[in-house]
Protein backbone atom coordinates (compact mmCIF):
# COMPACT_ATOMS: atom_id res chain seq x y z
CA UNK A 1 0.00 0.00 0.00
CA UNK A 2 1.34 3.43 -0.85
CA UNK A 3 0.96 6.37 1.42
CA UNK A 4 -0.70 9.32 -0.26
CA UNK A 5 0.07 12.88 0.63
CA UNK A 6 -2.85 14.08 2.67
CA UNK A 7 -4.89 16.86 1.12
CA UNK A 8 -4.92 20.16 3.03
CA UNK A 9 -8.43 19.47 4.30
CA UNK A 10 -7.55 15.95 5.44
CA UNK A 11 -4.51 17.29 7.26
CA UNK A 12 -6.46 19.93 9.10
CA UNK A 13 -6.67 18.50 12.62
CA UNK A 14 -10.24 17.79 13.65
CA UNK A 15 -10.98 18.01 17.41
CA UNK A 16 -11.15 14.20 17.48
CA UNK A 17 -7.75 13.82 15.77
CA UNK A 18 -6.15 16.25 18.22
CA UNK A 19 -7.75 14.38 21.11
CA UNK A 20 -6.43 11.02 19.88
CA UNK A 21 -2.92 12.39 19.61
CA UNK A 22 -3.00 13.94 23.10
CA UNK A 23 -4.30 10.74 24.72
CA UNK A 24 -1.89 8.51 22.81
CA UNK A 25 1.12 10.56 23.87
CA UNK A 26 0.01 10.55 27.52
CA UNK A 27 -0.25 6.77 27.37
CA UNK A 28 3.12 6.50 25.66
CA UNK A 29 4.65 8.64 28.44
CA UNK A 30 3.06 6.51 31.18
CA UNK A 31 4.32 3.30 29.54
CA UNK A 32 7.84 4.66 29.08
CA UNK A 33 7.97 5.73 32.72
CA UNK A 34 6.71 2.30 33.80
CA UNK A 35 9.31 0.54 31.62
CA UNK A 36 12.09 2.65 33.16
CA UNK A 37 10.95 1.70 36.68
CA UNK A 38 10.55 -1.98 35.74
CA UNK A 39 14.05 -2.00 34.21
CA UNK A 40 15.51 -0.34 37.30
CA UNK A 41 13.84 -2.93 39.55
CA UNK A 42 14.68 -5.86 37.27
CA UNK A 43 10.98 -6.76 37.34
CA UNK A 44 10.27 -10.21 35.90
CA UNK A 45 8.45 -10.56 32.58
CA UNK A 46 5.22 -11.87 34.11
CA UNK A 47 4.73 -8.95 36.50
CA UNK A 48 5.78 -6.53 33.77
CA UNK A 49 3.11 -7.92 31.45
CA UNK A 50 0.43 -7.75 34.15
CA UNK A 51 1.21 -4.19 35.28
CA UNK A 52 1.57 -2.56 31.89
CA UNK A 53 -2.08 -3.12 30.89
CA UNK A 54 -5.29 -1.97 32.60
CA UNK A 55 -7.29 -4.70 34.29
CA UNK A 56 -10.70 -3.39 33.20
CA UNK A 57 -11.90 -0.79 30.70
CA UNK A 58 -15.43 0.44 30.19
CA UNK A 59 -16.59 2.62 27.31
CA UNK A 60 -20.18 3.80 27.26
CA UNK A 61 -22.17 5.85 24.75
CA UNK A 62 -25.34 7.38 26.10
CA UNK A 63 -27.99 9.90 24.98
CA UNK A 64 -28.82 13.10 26.86
CA UNK A 65 -31.52 15.62 25.95
CA UNK A 66 -30.01 19.11 25.67
CA UNK A 67 -31.78 22.31 26.70
CA UNK A 68 -32.79 23.05 23.08
CA UNK A 69 -34.71 19.75 22.94
CA UNK A 70 -32.16 17.92 20.74
CA UNK A 71 -30.48 14.65 21.71
CA UNK A 72 -26.69 14.32 21.91
CA UNK A 73 -24.73 11.10 22.33
CA UNK A 74 -21.91 11.37 24.86
CA UNK A 75 -18.99 8.96 25.26
CA UNK A 76 -17.67 8.14 28.71
CA UNK A 77 -14.87 5.93 30.02
CA UNK A 78 -13.83 4.28 33.25
CA UNK A 79 -10.54 2.40 33.38
CA UNK A 80 -9.38 0.37 36.40
CA UNK A 81 -5.67 -0.14 35.99
CA UNK A 82 -4.85 -2.33 39.00
CA UNK A 83 -6.73 -3.27 42.16
CA UNK A 84 -4.16 -5.48 43.92
CA UNK A 85 -3.77 -3.00 46.81
CA UNK A 86 -7.46 -2.12 47.27
CA UNK A 87 -10.53 -0.69 45.53
CA UNK A 88 -9.95 1.29 42.35
CA UNK A 89 -9.65 5.02 43.01
CA UNK A 90 -9.33 8.06 40.80
CA UNK A 91 -10.97 11.12 39.35
CA UNK A 92 -13.52 11.75 36.63
CA UNK A 93 -12.53 14.23 33.95
CA UNK A 94 -14.84 16.29 31.72
CA UNK A 95 -12.70 17.60 28.89
CA UNK A 96 -12.99 17.79 25.08
CA UNK A 97 -9.73 15.82 24.58
CA UNK A 98 -10.60 13.00 27.00
CA UNK A 99 -10.28 9.66 25.22
CA UNK A 100 -9.58 6.04 26.12
CA UNK A 101 -5.78 6.31 25.88
CA UNK A 102 -5.77 9.45 28.03
CA UNK A 103 -7.86 7.70 30.70
CA UNK A 104 -5.63 4.60 30.50
CA UNK A 105 -2.54 6.73 31.20
CA UNK A 106 -4.22 8.61 34.05
CA UNK A 107 -5.49 5.35 35.61
CA UNK A 108 -1.97 3.87 35.61
CA UNK A 109 -0.59 7.03 37.25
CA UNK A 110 -3.29 6.70 39.95
CA UNK A 111 -2.12 3.15 40.76
CA UNK A 112 1.43 4.39 41.33
CA UNK A 113 0.27 7.48 43.25
CA UNK A 114 -1.86 5.52 45.73
CA UNK A 115 1.00 3.06 46.28
CA UNK A 116 3.63 5.78 46.72
CA UNK A 117 1.69 7.67 49.40
CA UNK A 118 0.51 4.48 51.07
CA UNK A 119 -3.27 4.69 50.72
CA UNK A 120 -5.00 1.30 50.35
CA UNK A 121 -6.35 1.82 46.84
CA UNK A 122 -5.74 0.64 43.32
CA UNK A 123 -5.77 3.07 40.40
CA UNK A 124 -8.59 4.17 38.13
CA UNK A 125 -9.65 7.14 36.06
CA UNK A 126 -12.72 8.06 34.09
CA UNK A 127 -14.10 10.81 31.99
CA UNK A 128 -16.61 12.05 29.49
CA UNK A 129 -15.53 13.75 26.26
CA UNK A 130 -17.17 17.15 26.54
CA UNK A 131 -16.45 20.82 27.16
CA UNK A 132 -18.17 21.68 30.45
CA UNK A 133 -18.13 25.40 29.57
CA UNK A 134 -20.45 24.67 26.63
CA UNK A 135 -23.15 22.87 28.67
CA UNK A 136 -25.67 24.30 31.12
CA UNK A 137 -25.74 23.12 34.71
CA UNK A 138 -28.88 21.10 33.98
CA UNK A 139 -27.22 19.42 31.00
CA UNK A 140 -24.12 18.60 33.10
CA UNK A 141 -26.34 17.12 35.79
CA UNK A 142 -28.15 14.97 33.22
CA UNK A 143 -24.82 13.77 31.73
CA UNK A 144 -23.46 12.97 35.19
CA UNK A 145 -26.56 11.09 36.39
CA UNK A 146 -26.79 9.06 33.19
CA UNK A 147 -23.04 8.30 33.23
CA UNK A 148 -23.28 7.19 36.89
CA UNK A 149 -26.19 4.96 35.88
CA UNK A 150 -24.17 3.45 33.01
CA UNK A 151 -21.44 2.68 35.57
CA UNK A 152 -23.86 1.00 37.97
CA UNK A 153 -22.18 -2.20 39.12
CA UNK A 154 -18.76 -0.74 38.30
CA UNK A 155 -18.49 2.08 40.86
CA UNK A 156 -19.18 1.51 44.56
CA UNK A 157 -17.55 2.06 47.98
CA UNK A 158 -15.87 -1.37 47.86
CA UNK A 159 -15.07 -1.48 44.15
CA UNK A 160 -14.28 1.84 42.48
CA UNK A 161 -14.55 5.34 43.94
CA UNK A 162 -14.57 8.43 41.67
CA UNK A 163 -13.42 11.93 42.70
CA UNK A 164 -13.18 15.35 41.04
CA UNK A 165 -10.59 16.00 38.34
CA UNK A 166 -10.28 18.49 35.44
CA UNK A 167 -13.75 19.90 34.61
CA UNK A 168 -15.59 18.24 37.52
CA UNK A 169 -16.29 19.44 41.05
CA UNK A 170 -17.86 18.67 44.43
CA UNK A 171 -21.26 19.23 42.76
CA UNK A 172 -20.48 16.49 40.19
CA UNK A 173 -19.68 14.10 43.06
CA UNK A 174 -22.93 15.06 44.84
CA UNK A 175 -24.91 14.08 41.69
CA UNK A 176 -23.05 10.76 41.45
CA UNK A 177 -23.59 9.98 45.12
CA UNK A 178 -27.27 10.89 44.85
CA UNK A 179 -27.84 8.84 41.68
CA UNK A 180 -26.27 5.71 43.16
CA UNK A 181 -28.16 6.30 46.43
CA UNK A 182 -31.49 6.65 44.58
CA UNK A 183 -30.89 3.31 42.86
CA UNK A 184 -29.99 1.54 46.09
CA UNK A 185 -32.76 3.17 48.16
CA UNK A 186 -30.40 4.48 50.87
CA UNK A 187 -27.50 6.93 51.10
CA UNK A 188 -24.17 5.59 49.87
CA UNK A 189 -21.70 8.35 50.81
CA UNK A 190 -18.61 6.19 50.22
CA UNK A 191 -19.27 5.83 46.47
CA UNK A 192 -17.47 9.11 45.67
CA UNK A 193 -15.02 11.44 47.38
CA UNK A 194 -14.55 15.18 47.05
CA UNK A 195 -18.24 15.60 47.93
CA UNK A 196 -19.63 18.80 49.47
CA UNK A 197 -19.18 18.91 53.27
CA UNK A 198 -22.92 18.79 53.99
CA UNK A 199 -23.33 15.34 52.41
CA UNK A 200 -20.29 13.54 53.79
CA UNK A 201 -17.38 15.42 52.25
CA UNK A 202 -14.22 15.81 54.32
CA UNK A 203 -12.90 18.99 55.84
CA UNK A 204 -9.84 19.98 53.85
CA UNK A 205 -10.65 17.96 50.70
CA UNK A 206 -11.35 20.96 48.43
CA UNK A 207 -7.85 22.38 48.99
CA UNK A 208 -6.12 19.03 49.59
CA UNK A 209 -4.25 18.77 46.27
CA UNK A 210 -3.01 22.37 46.57
CA UNK A 211 -2.09 21.76 50.20
CA UNK A 212 -0.05 18.70 49.20
CA UNK A 213 1.64 20.70 46.43
CA UNK A 214 2.57 23.32 49.03
CA UNK A 215 4.01 20.69 51.42
CA UNK A 216 6.13 19.09 48.68
CA UNK A 217 7.39 22.48 47.47
CA UNK A 218 8.24 23.56 51.05
CA UNK A 219 10.12 20.29 51.49
CA UNK A 220 12.01 20.67 48.18
CA UNK A 221 12.95 24.32 48.84
CA UNK A 222 14.27 23.32 52.28
CA UNK A 223 16.38 20.60 50.67
CA UNK A 224 17.57 23.17 48.12
CA UNK A 225 18.66 25.53 50.90
CA UNK A 226 15.98 28.21 50.50
CA UNK A 227 12.44 28.88 51.76
CA UNK A 228 9.02 29.47 50.26
CA UNK A 229 8.93 32.88 51.87
CA UNK A 230 10.01 35.38 49.25
CA UNK A 231 10.43 32.67 46.57
CA UNK A 232 9.28 33.74 43.10
CA UNK A 233 6.68 31.39 41.66
CA UNK A 234 4.96 30.98 38.27
CA UNK A 235 1.88 28.78 37.93
CA UNK A 236 0.26 27.26 34.84
CA UNK A 237 -3.42 26.71 35.60
CA UNK A 238 -5.97 28.36 37.90
CA UNK A 239 -8.53 25.56 38.24
CA UNK A 240 -9.24 23.11 41.09
CA UNK A 241 -5.52 22.69 41.81
CA UNK A 242 -3.85 25.86 40.47
CA UNK A 243 -6.14 28.24 42.35
CA UNK A 244 -5.64 26.54 45.73
CA UNK A 245 -1.89 26.25 45.13
CA UNK A 246 -1.61 29.95 44.22
CA UNK A 247 -3.66 31.01 47.25
CA UNK A 248 -1.73 28.79 49.70
CA UNK A 249 1.70 29.78 48.32
CA UNK A 250 0.67 33.45 48.50
CA UNK A 251 -0.43 32.97 52.13
CA UNK A 252 2.89 31.24 52.89
CA UNK A 253 4.75 34.37 51.74
CA UNK A 254 5.78 33.35 48.22
CA UNK A 255 5.76 35.97 45.47
CA UNK A 256 3.45 34.55 42.79
CA UNK A 257 4.56 36.55 39.74
CA UNK A 258 2.65 34.90 36.89
CA UNK A 259 -0.36 32.64 36.32
CA UNK A 260 -2.05 31.44 33.14
CA UNK A 261 -5.48 29.87 32.65
CA UNK A 262 -7.55 28.81 29.63
CA UNK A 263 -8.41 32.45 28.83
CA UNK A 264 -4.84 33.84 28.95
CA UNK A 265 -2.38 34.84 31.62
CA UNK A 266 -1.27 37.57 34.01
CA UNK A 267 2.24 38.71 34.96
CA UNK A 268 3.36 41.13 37.66
CA UNK A 269 7.05 40.91 38.65
CA UNK A 270 6.38 42.44 42.10
CA UNK A 271 3.85 39.72 42.88
CA UNK A 272 0.20 39.20 41.94
CA UNK A 273 -2.73 39.93 44.23
CA UNK A 274 -4.01 36.32 44.26
CA UNK A 275 -7.34 37.00 46.10
CA UNK A 276 -8.11 39.68 43.50
CA UNK A 277 -7.51 37.18 40.68
CA UNK A 278 -10.05 34.82 42.20
CA UNK A 279 -12.66 37.59 42.20
CA UNK A 280 -11.73 38.52 38.61
CA UNK A 281 -12.19 34.88 37.57
CA UNK A 282 -15.62 34.75 39.21
CA UNK A 283 -16.73 37.88 37.35
CA UNK A 284 -15.10 37.33 33.95
CA UNK A 285 -14.58 33.56 33.65
CA UNK A 286 -10.79 34.05 33.32
CA UNK A 287 -7.98 35.75 35.21
CA UNK A 288 -6.78 37.38 31.95
CA UNK A 289 -7.05 41.15 31.98
CA UNK A 290 -6.98 41.50 35.78
CA UNK A 291 -6.09 45.09 36.75
CA UNK A 292 -2.41 45.88 37.36
CA UNK A 293 -1.14 42.90 35.32
CA UNK A 294 0.34 42.45 31.86
CA UNK A 295 -0.63 39.52 29.61
CA UNK A 296 1.58 36.45 29.39
CA UNK A 297 1.26 33.14 27.52
CA UNK A 298 2.30 29.63 28.58
CA UNK A 299 5.62 29.49 26.70
CA UNK A 300 6.69 32.82 28.23
CA UNK A 301 5.56 31.65 31.68
CA UNK A 302 7.56 28.40 31.40
CA UNK A 303 10.73 30.42 30.63
CA UNK A 304 10.39 32.97 33.45
CA UNK A 305 13.32 33.48 35.79
CA UNK A 306 11.58 32.13 38.91
CA UNK A 307 12.49 29.84 41.80
CA UNK A 308 9.50 27.53 41.40
CA UNK A 309 7.45 26.67 38.30
CA UNK A 310 4.16 24.93 39.11
CA UNK A 311 2.38 23.02 36.32
CA UNK A 312 -1.27 22.73 37.33
CA UNK A 313 -3.03 22.20 34.01
CA UNK A 314 -2.86 19.21 31.65
CA UNK A 315 -0.48 16.52 30.36
CA UNK A 316 2.37 17.07 27.94
CA UNK A 317 3.18 20.73 28.63
CA UNK A 318 6.97 20.60 29.05
CA UNK A 319 8.42 18.72 26.08
CA UNK A 320 11.82 18.33 24.40
CA UNK A 321 10.97 21.54 22.50
CA UNK A 322 10.61 23.88 25.47
CA UNK A 323 12.34 22.09 28.39
CA UNK A 324 15.58 23.92 27.60
CA UNK A 325 13.94 27.27 28.31
CA UNK A 326 12.87 26.39 31.87
CA UNK A 327 14.92 28.47 34.31
CA UNK A 328 13.15 27.56 37.57
CA UNK A 329 15.13 25.77 40.30
CA UNK A 330 12.14 23.56 41.15
CA UNK A 331 9.46 22.27 38.79
CA UNK A 332 6.40 21.14 40.75
CA UNK A 333 4.13 18.74 38.85
CA UNK A 334 0.75 19.63 40.32
CA UNK A 335 -0.95 18.20 37.21
CA UNK A 336 -0.74 14.56 36.08
CA UNK A 337 1.92 13.91 33.45
CA UNK A 338 2.78 17.54 32.60
CA UNK A 339 6.38 16.69 31.60
CA UNK A 340 7.13 14.29 28.72
CA UNK A 341 9.85 11.61 29.07
CA UNK A 342 11.95 13.39 26.41
CA UNK A 343 11.93 16.58 28.50
CA UNK A 344 13.19 14.87 31.67
CA UNK A 345 16.89 14.51 30.72
CA UNK A 346 17.01 18.12 29.46
CA UNK A 347 15.63 19.42 32.77
CA UNK A 348 18.04 17.20 34.72
CA UNK A 349 21.01 18.44 32.68
CA UNK A 350 20.03 22.04 33.48
CA UNK A 351 19.77 21.30 37.20
CA UNK A 352 15.98 21.72 37.41
CA UNK A 353 14.68 19.65 40.34
CA UNK A 354 11.40 17.97 39.37
CA UNK A 355 8.89 17.09 42.10
CA UNK A 356 7.21 14.18 40.30
CA UNK A 357 3.43 14.30 39.81
CA UNK A 358 2.60 11.15 41.77
CA UNK A 359 4.19 12.78 44.82
CA UNK A 360 3.47 16.46 44.18
CA UNK A 361 -0.28 16.18 43.53
CA UNK A 362 -1.07 13.20 45.80
CA UNK A 363 -2.70 15.37 48.49
CA UNK A 364 -6.05 14.93 46.73
CA UNK A 365 -6.13 11.17 46.87
CA UNK A 366 -4.74 11.14 50.43
CA UNK A 367 -7.65 13.24 51.69
CA UNK A 368 -10.01 11.24 49.46
CA UNK A 369 -8.87 8.22 51.46
CA UNK A 370 -9.57 10.12 54.70
CA UNK A 371 -13.03 11.05 53.38
CA UNK A 372 -13.82 7.44 52.42
CA UNK A 373 -12.55 6.18 55.80
CA UNK A 374 -14.64 8.80 57.66
CA UNK A 375 -17.73 7.83 55.63
CA UNK A 376 -17.26 4.16 56.46
CA UNK A 377 -16.77 4.90 60.16
CA UNK A 378 -19.53 7.57 60.19
CA UNK A 379 -17.09 10.08 61.66
CA UNK A 380 -16.09 13.65 60.82
CA UNK A 381 -12.54 14.83 61.49
CA UNK A 382 -11.65 18.47 62.10
CA UNK A 383 -9.80 20.43 59.39
CA UNK A 384 -6.63 20.66 61.53
CA UNK A 385 -6.63 16.84 62.06
CA UNK A 386 -7.04 16.26 58.31
CA UNK A 387 -4.25 18.68 57.42
CA UNK A 388 -1.84 17.29 60.00
CA UNK A 389 -2.42 13.72 58.79
CA UNK A 390 -2.04 14.88 55.19
CA UNK A 391 1.22 16.67 55.98
CA UNK A 392 2.68 13.60 57.67
CA UNK A 393 1.63 11.23 54.91
CA UNK A 394 2.95 13.44 52.08
CA UNK A 395 6.24 14.20 53.84
CA UNK A 396 6.84 10.51 54.59
CA UNK A 397 6.42 9.76 50.88
CA UNK A 398 8.68 12.70 49.96
CA UNK A 399 11.38 11.43 52.32
CA UNK A 400 11.19 7.98 50.75
CA UNK A 401 11.51 9.48 47.24
CA UNK A 402 14.53 11.72 47.97
CA UNK A 403 16.24 8.93 49.92
CA UNK A 404 15.74 6.43 47.11
CA UNK A 405 16.91 8.97 44.53
CA UNK A 406 20.08 9.44 46.59
CA UNK A 407 20.77 5.79 47.39
CA UNK A 408 20.20 4.55 43.82
CA UNK A 409 21.60 7.71 42.13
CA UNK A 410 18.43 8.16 40.07
CA UNK A 411 16.01 11.01 39.34
CA UNK A 412 13.18 11.74 41.79
CA UNK A 413 10.70 10.59 39.12
CA UNK A 414 12.38 7.22 38.68
CA UNK A 415 12.69 6.89 42.47
CA UNK A 416 8.97 7.62 42.98
CA UNK A 417 7.95 5.20 40.23
CA UNK A 418 10.34 2.50 41.47
CA UNK A 419 8.94 2.67 45.02
CA UNK A 420 5.36 2.57 43.71
CA UNK A 421 5.86 -0.21 41.15
CA UNK A 422 7.71 -2.28 43.75
CA UNK A 423 4.77 -2.03 46.16
CA UNK A 424 2.15 -2.87 43.53
CA UNK A 425 4.28 -5.71 42.18
CA UNK A 426 4.66 -7.12 45.68
CA UNK A 427 0.87 -7.00 46.28
CA UNK A 428 0.21 -8.57 42.88
CA UNK A 429 2.76 -11.34 43.50
CA UNK A 430 1.42 -12.10 47.00
CA UNK A 431 -2.15 -12.33 45.78
CA UNK A 432 -1.04 -14.70 43.03
CA UNK A 433 -2.83 -15.71 39.88
CA UNK A 434 -6.50 -16.72 39.90
CA UNK A 435 -7.39 -19.51 39.20
N1 LIG B 1 -8.22 13.49 40.42
C1 LIG B 1 -7.29 13.53 41.50
C2 LIG B 1 -5.95 12.95 41.08
O1 LIG B 1 -5.60 12.93 39.93
C3 LIG B 1 -7.85 12.92 42.79
C4 LIG B 1 -8.15 11.46 42.73
C5 LIG B 1 -8.92 10.95 43.96
O2 LIG B 1 -9.03 11.67 44.93
O3 LIG B 1 -9.39 9.83 43.88
O4 LIG B 1 -5.16 12.55 41.90
Amino acid sequence: MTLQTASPTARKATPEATARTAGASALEAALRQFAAAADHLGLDDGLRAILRVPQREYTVHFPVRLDDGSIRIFTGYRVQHNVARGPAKGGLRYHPSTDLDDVRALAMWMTWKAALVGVPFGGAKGGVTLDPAKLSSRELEAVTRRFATELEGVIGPDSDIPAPDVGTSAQTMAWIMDTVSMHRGFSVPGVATGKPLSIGGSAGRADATGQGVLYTIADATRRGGFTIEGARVAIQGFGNVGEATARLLHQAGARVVAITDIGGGVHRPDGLDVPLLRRHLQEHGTIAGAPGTRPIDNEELFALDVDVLVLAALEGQITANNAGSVRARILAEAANGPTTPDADPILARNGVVVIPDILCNAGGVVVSYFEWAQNRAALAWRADEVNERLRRQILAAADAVWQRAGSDSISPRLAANAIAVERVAEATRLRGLYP
Side-chain angles (χ1 to χ4, degrees), residues 22 30 89 119 126 168 174 183 206 224 232 245 285 304 339 347 357 390:
K89 185 83 190 80
V119 294
T168 57
H183 295 166
R232 285 157 307 139
T245 303
L304 281 179
T339 308
L347 294 169
D357 49 3
L390 168 63

Side-chain angles (χ1 to χ4, degrees), residues 211-221 332 355 359-361 394-395 398:
Q211 194 73 60
V213 173
L214 179 77
Y215 291 144
T216 61
I217 293 175
D219 177 62
T221 55
I355 310 174
L359 171 66
C360 188
N361 71 36
I394 288 285
L395 291 184

Side-chain angles (χ1 to χ4, degrees), residues 89-91 110 113 125 161 163-165 193 205 336 361 364-365 368:
K89 185 83 190 80
M110 281 308 302
K113 193 186 302 185
K125 203 72 157 205
I161 307 124
D165 196 84
T193 60
R205 177 61 185 85
N336 293 306
N361 71 36
V365 76
S368 274

